[in-house]
Amino acid sequence: MDFPLSVCLALYRRLASAYPHEFRMLYGEDMDRLGEDAVPEAWRRYGVQGVVRLLADVAIRFPATYLAEIRRDVLYALRVLAKSPGFTFVAVLSVAIGIGMCSAVRSEIQSIVGAPPGLPDPAALATFRWSTVSYPYFERYRDQRQTVAAATALLGPIPFAVALTPDKSVRAARFYGHLVSPEYFSTLGVTPAAGRFFSPETEKPGMPPVVVVSDRFWRTQLAADPQAVGRILRLNGRPVTIAGIGPKDFLGIWPGNPADLFVPVTCGAALAPELAGDPLISPDREIFRVVFRLARGATLPRAEAAMNAVTRNFDQERGVNRIHDRVMQLMPAATFLYATPEQRRFTNTFNVVLWALVLALVCANLANLLLARGGERRREIAVRLSVGASRPRLVRQLLAESLLLSFTGGAAGIVLGYCIMRVLSSLPVPSPVPVELHCHLDLRALGWTLAIAMAAGVGFGLAPALSSARTDIGRALKEGAQTPLGGYGRFGLRNLFVVCQMAASLMLVLVTGLVATGFLLATRVSPGFDMAGLSLVSLDPMRDGYSAGQAAKLLEDLPGELSHVTGVRAASLSGAAPFAWFAATPPVSRVSFSESEGRNSPVVHAVFAERIGANYFAALGAPLPGGREFEAREQRSAAEQGAPVPAILNQTAARSLFGSENPIGRRIRDGETSYTVVGLARDSQPRFLQSKPAATMFLPFTGTVFRKNPAQGITVLVRGAAGNDVLAAVRRQLASLHPDLTVFDARTLQEDLNRWSSFIEWQSTIFVILGVFALLLASIGVGGVTAYAVARRHKEIGIRMALGARGSQVQRLLLREGAALVAAGSALGFGGAFALWRILTAYSDMLARTIDQPVSGRLLKIGAPLVLAGLSMLACYLPVRRVTRIEPVAALRQE
């Protein structure tokens, strides 16, 4: 025979031998015989082309045959799973919840600390950690070309009053944006969708004002007008020209705080009140954030050293002698929200721990269910092997069942994760500035979760079929082949999974429970005054075209004007709402005893400083326990040069400064400013996730302060009489007296608090769901293994009861074995949870404050193990109770 013909015959035999086992059993001999005749004949009549066509026909029919076999496997798997609806439902539900929750946890984190879309090479972007700088310092940093390829300064997010026409009769709406240096867009590496961006050549002081709008603003507010570039808007009462439109999805460097408007810092204070006081030339106005694009090959430590050298040199040039050297620390800048490396590390670590615990729990539960089900099917497998089924065929069948379970649970998990992300994205985040999470399912996290869960399902589903290769078929078919399951004290795979499942469940319950209770306790506000009848209205006169002097005059007259409104019992002003401390930043004021009191080295205390108007506490309904409130004259007039400014301390601040002494009349200092304590206020609710009230100093909200900081808005606090629509009356009064003033964010104090409460409660609900999920899975796992153990020991139990054992004795025997697993898993879980929360609390102060809830913490640490043990023992008791009701004779007769 020719060599080419021999090769063709060998290829044909190879293809024929790869057909499914069942097909080979029915048609294998005929296929081999036909091939021996067909290949030489095709070679003789048609040559190489005929043989190739014959081999191709065999190769094409080969996958079609396998697909037909797989289709039958899937249909059979559906029938098998339909016969066990309880097992199928529990397995699919556990996989779905596990994948959905794990994907949601990881995706939410990526929505916070992930890289924003549309920025080229985001890893090269850096910014200062917690540091704002003045513009002259920024210009020095920008010139360090050895380490910095480009740099930009920005101020924001800040509000703008925008009207889509220059007509002053059209009402303006508030949008947020950034004041940026001309290098902003080139530093970030983005290009305009239309028009142009800023540049140092075109954006200079005195040039006509321009603005760049986001693609979102262009589509939603300008109706995607193709002629939008060159259109004139009214911005903060001044006409500006649209110079360009940003690229799609671009909302600034930190899109979690989105910016729809970008205005150059050269526009001047007439357009942007934040630029009052010449911040572009003043080295002391440290109000700008700086973003760098590092030069190729430059590292963060190298750039950081260069920035610190520039800072020291410029300080020496200016003759600035700082008490403590200012250290400029750099960190990566490309995240959705402005987040420090510590915050990103904590967020990733904490949520990776949750992700790992949930996934371990799902895998352990799935392993228990599939191993127990596989044990019950050992006799079925032996029967099928005895009638001629091949082991590869059985493996393929069980693989189809496992894949069907995994795919169904995975699809349901994707739907659940998507729904959770939609809910999270729709939640309004209560914040003084807009916060948008833009939560989407992270495909990488979803892929890892699906892969691990499916690998567990497939692996443990195939375990019985793979072990059947070592099974004695004859012994498995004999009566009584179901030998008793080894005791729980013996080390076994199922027992190991149960213990691991119990440990992971308890760890998850304790960690999520402590975090959830910490969040929920933070929403329980006991302000110490009656919130009924308290309403809030926000004003921002500078955005409505008021000058600094006009805004200060409005500030002085407003309380008196509102006091004449029907139903208004009291009115006052403040810089923020009473519960704005939910989103408080660290305290920025550091006060000490006045040097006039003879202290050489005064002790400095960090306090929060809040600006309030006259009769603020009277309007709030919280009378002072000592001293007096600010008077109207102190709000109307500025303090004389060098004269002490009146201040009110809360009880915590007074104790930290003066101990048990009376603080009224005492002098304190904050830098060069001296204050006289005129009043003592009661402590209010602790700040968010803090167990004790924060030290707070209240200062008068004077016109002078407003002139120095014209960008600061006003919150009007109004207490109304019962039965009156105070908000509507206030709106009418302001519209009548000040028709050009925009009133926004009108709400009651209770509504303001409810916004925070609802957001925090939803976040807590996620942790509660995780904890309940852990309890259910642990109970299912222990109950499933107990039911399997009882089924395996059915005949043993019948023998014991036939020999005189009582049902209660058998129950105690079986429950004692289950209790051993529960106790071992609980001990390991409690120890693991203790180690885990010690690590996490040492890693993050925020988490330490969350978990450090003495009362709820003790109750949870005692109650969670008891609840978990109780549910697990109940899951053990149900199958044990059923089996002790059998008739011993029936059990002994059972095959």
Side-chain angles (χ1 to χ4, degrees):
M1 184 180 292
D2 296 340
F3 176 75
L5 185 60
S6 301
V7 172
C8 292
L9 279 172
L11 287 174
Y12 179 87
R13 296 189 188 106
R14 191 73 173 175
L15 287 172
S17 65
Y19 273 69
H21 177 72
E22 290 77 4
F23 183 87
R24 292 286 302 166
M25 289 182 63
L26 293 175
Y27 309 110
E29 293 184 4
D30 293 338
M31 191 174 182
D32 292 340
R33 186 173 60 255
L34 288 174
E36 297 289 341
D37 297 335
V39 171
E41 181 65 18
W43 179 270
R44 185 181 64 79
R45 297 182 61 180
Y46 303 106
V48 176
Q49 184 179 2
V51 174
V52 169
R53 291 179 60 186
L54 176 63
L55 294 177
D57 181 66
V58 175
I60 290 172
R61 294 179 183 274
F62 164 66
T65 305
Y66 257 105
L67 287 175
E69 293 288 335
I70 292 173
R71 177 176 170 272
R72 287 195 290 271
D73 289 340
V74 172
L75 293 176
Y76 181 76
L78 287 172
R79 291 197 298 270
V80 169
L81 294 176
K83 291 179 180 178
S84 304
F87 162 79
T88 305
F89 176 76
V90 171
V92 170
L93 183 64
S94 63
V95 173
I97 296 178
I99 290 176
M101 296 300 291
C102 287
S103 302
V105 167
R106 290 296 303 152
S107 299
E108 184 182 12
I109 297 312
Q110 285 302 112
S111 300
I112 296 173
V113 300
L119 296 184
D121 192 17
L125 297 176
T127 187
F128 289 128
R129 183 185 309 186
W130 297 126
S131 296
T132 54
V133 303
S134 64
Y135 204 83
Y137 276 83
F138 153 71
E139 293 175 323
R140 295 294 185 100
Y141 300 142
R142 183 186 57 191
D143 296 336
Q144 302 304 303
R145 294 302 179 185
Q146 292 182 343
T147 56
V148 174
T152 183
L154 66 141
L155 181 60
I158 57 175
F160 290 94
V162 182
L164 303 182
T165 172
D167 185 0
K168 292 188 176 182
S169 63
V170 177
R171 275 289 198 186
R174 287 169 66 87
F175 294 90
Y176 279 79
H178 288 162
L179 290 170
V180 300
S181 66
E183 307 88 355
Y184 181 78
F185 296 102
S186 60
T187 300
L188 300 184
V190 296
T191 55
R196 67 171 181 87
F197 282 161
F198 307 140
S199 69
E201 292 74 25
T202 55
E203 270 55 62
K204 296 180 179 179
M207 300 291 288
V210 294
V211 62
V212 169
V213 300
S214 69
D215 177 81
R216 181 174 73 174
F217 185 93
W218 174 65
R219 293 180 185 278
T220 59
Q221 304 301 319
L222 302 177
D225 180 9
Q227 306 298 323
V229 176
R231 182 171 171 177
I232 298 178
L233 308 178
R234 195 173 83 250
L235 201 69
N236 289 349
R238 270 78 178 176
V240 297
T241 303
I242 298 178
I245 301 171
K248 185 176 176 59
D249 297 329
F250 179 76
L251 294 172
I253 176 64
W254 294 296
N257 297 122
D260 284 303
L261 305 166
F262 304 92
V263 178
V265 294
T266 55
C267 66
L271 177 62
E274 289 79 6
L275 299 176
D278 295 326
L280 299 188
I281 61 175
S282 174
D284 296 321
R285 291 287 304 279
E286 298 176 350
I287 60 175
F288 293 96
R289 290 201 180 277
V290 178
V291 176
F292 302 98
R293 181 170 290 279
L294 300 183
R296 185 179 300 275
T299 61
L300 278 179
R302 180 183 168 194
E304 194 174 277
M307 298 305 117
N308 279 292
V310 170
T311 303
R312 288 192 298 269
N313 293 337
F314 197 21
D315 285 346
Q316 292 176 358
E317 290 180 21
R318 296 177 52 226
V320 175
N321 184 17
R322 301 183 186 272
I323 299 176
H324 302 287
D325 290 337
R326 182 168 58 168
V327 178
M328 312 301 292
Q329 295 180 317
L330 288 176
M331 68 177 192
T335 54
F336 270 85
L337 286 170
Y338 181 86
T340 65
E342 292 81 10
Q343 291 171 328
R344 291 198 297 271
R345 241 186 345 260
F346 158 70
T347 303
N348 281 312
T349 301
F350 180 63
N351 285 277
V352 164
V353 168
L354 292 182
W355 177 80
L357 285 175
V358 173
L359 201 55
L361 193 56
V362 170
C363 292
N365 185 71
L366 197 58
N368 281 331
L369 291 172
L370 292 174
L371 288 176
R373 179 176 171 80
E376 294 174 357
R377 301 181 68 182
R378 291 174 66 87
R379 190 177 182 85
E380 174 198 342
I381 292 172
V383 171
R384 296 180 69 179
L385 287 172
S386 67
V387 296
S390 65
R391 286 185 171 89
R393 179 70 179 81
L394 285 175
V395 169
R396 195 178 71 199
Q397 177 60 54
L398 292 177
L399 179 63
E401 294 179 19
S402 300
L403 284 175
L404 193 59
L405 278 177
S406 300
F407 273 119
T408 306
I414 293 174
V415 173
L416 177 62
Y418 174 78
C419 293
I420 294 175
M421 291 295 98
R422 287 293 300 270
V423 172
L424 287 176
S425 296
S426 64
L427 283 177
V429 181
S431 174
V433 296
V435 177
E436 297 178 7
L437 292 181
H438 298 290
C439 294
H440 303 287
L441 274 180
D442 182 51
L443 296 181
R444 184 169 57 180
L446 180 62
W448 275 105
T449 307
L450 277 172
I452 295 173
M454 292 184 66
V458 171
F460 293 112
L462 288 178
L466 297 175
S467 65
S468 67
R470 301 186 298 273
T471 300
D472 186 345
I473 298 177
R475 182 183 178 189
L477 293 174
K478 287 180 181 178
E479 182 182 359
Q482 288 187 343
T483 55
L485 183 69
Y488 279 82
R490 186 178 303 173
F491 184 82
L493 186 60
R494 295 181 188 89
N495 297 342
L496 177 62
F497 277 126
V498 171
V499 171
C500 292
Q501 189 175 2
M502 287 291 298
S505 297
L506 187 55
M507 292 172 65
L508 191 60
V509 168
L510 287 174
V511 172
T512 57
L514 288 170
V515 173
T517 54
F519 279 4
L520 289 174
L521 287 175
T523 65
R524 297 182 182 177
V525 176
S526 300
F529 55 85
D530 184 13
M531 290 193 294
L534 281 174
S535 301
L536 304 172
V537 171
S538 296
L539 305 173
D540 199 349
M542 299 295 293
R543 314 293 170 189
D544 293 318
Y546 281 62
S547 67
Q550 291 171 332
K553 182 67 167 58
L554 172 70
L555 174 71
E556 297 171 5
D557 298 339
L558 199 58
E561 294 173 349
L562 295 180
S563 64
H564 300 297
V565 176
T566 303
V568 173
R569 294 166 53 188
S572 186
L573 306 177
S574 68
F579 294 126
W581 36 256
F582 265 133
T585 56
V588 296
S589 296
R590 299 188 175 274
V591 300
S592 61
F593 289 112
S594 174
E595 295 178 358
S596 62
E597 299 207 359
R599 294 181 176 267
N600 295 326
S601 55
V603 179
V604 178
H605 297 268
V607 299
F608 292 87
E610 295 187 10
R611 292 283 177 175
I612 61 175
N615 302 315
Y616 173 80
F617 293 100
L620 203 61
L624 300 182
R628 63 172 179 85
E629 289 203 56
F630 301 134
E631 299 175 355
R633 59 179 178 81
E634 292 169 328
Q635 180 178 327
R636 286 194 301 268
S637 60
E640 298 178 2
Q641 186 69 25
V645 177
I648 298 174
L649 301 179
N650 71 344
Q651 293 169 326
T652 299
R655 280 193 301 269
S656 64
L657 286 167
F658 306 107
S660 59
E661 299 178 14
N662 183 10
I664 305 301
R666 305 291 292 272
R667 296 285 187 87
I668 55 177
R669 299 188 66 85
D670 180 7
E672 299 298 323
T673 306
S674 176
Y675 302 98
T676 299
V677 180
V678 299
L680 179 66
R682 299 183 189 276
D683 285 335
S684 60
Q685 175 75 12
R687 292 174 182 260
F688 182 44
L689 297 182
Q690 289 188 356
S691 57
K692 298 179 181 180
T696 306
M697 176 175 62
F698 299 93
L699 302 174
F701 201 168
T702 65
T704 302
V705 171
F706 198 83
R707 288 187 182 94
K708 291 181 179 178
N709 187 14
Q712 184 171 358
I714 304 171
T715 297
V716 183
L717 177 69
V718 179
R719 177 170 289 280
N724 290 276
D725 189 354
V726 175
L727 282 177
V730 168
R731 281 179 175 272
R732 288 193 298 269
Q733 178 76 351
L734 291 174
S736 173
L737 297 177
H738 309 283
D740 52 351
L741 191 64
T742 302
V743 178
F744 61 94
D745 205 10
R747 72 278 189 199
T748 66
L749 184 58
Q750 187 63 56
E751 290 172 346
D752 195 57
L753 180 61
N754 289 343
R755 288 191 296 182
W756 267 107
S757 299
S758 60
F759 178 76
I760 296 172
E761 286 168 1
W762 170 251
Q763 298 294 323
S764 303
T765 301
I766 296 178
F767 294 112
V768 171
I769 292 173
L770 283 175
V772 173
F773 175 60
L775 289 173
L776 292 178
L777 281 190
S779 303
I780 291 170
V782 176
V785 170
T786 303
Y788 169 65
V790 167
R792 291 293 304 274
R793 303 174 70 174
H794 203 268
K795 181 169 288 188
E796 174 196 346
I797 293 170
I799 293 172
R800 287 177 181 272
M801 297 184 71
L803 294 176
R806 294 189 301 272
S808 58
Q809 291 176 319
V810 175
Q811 288 180 7
R812 283 196 298 270
L813 173 65
L814 297 174
L815 288 176
R816 185 168 61 246
E817 296 169 349
L821 286 180
V822 173
S826 298
L828 287 176
F830 194 85
F834 179 76
L836 185 60
W837 75 55
R838 286 293 297 271
I839 293 172
L840 292 176
T841 53
Y843 196 73
S844 168
D845 291 338
M846 176 181 171
L847 190 60
R849 294 194 297 270
T850 307
I851 292 179
D852 186 20
Q853 301 291 343
V855 177
S856 61
R858 284 195 295 269
L859 292 176
L860 191 65
K861 292 168 190 176
I862 297 172
L866 293 178
V867 171
L868 181 59
L871 287 176
S872 301
M873 293 309 299
L874 177 63
C876 292
Y877 174 73
L878 294 177
V880 168
R881 183 171 177 267
R882 284 196 303 269
V883 79
T884 54
R885 293 179 176 180
I886 64 172
E887 291 292 334
V889 176
L892 293 174
R893 287 176 179 172
Q894 190 176 11
E895 289 290 333

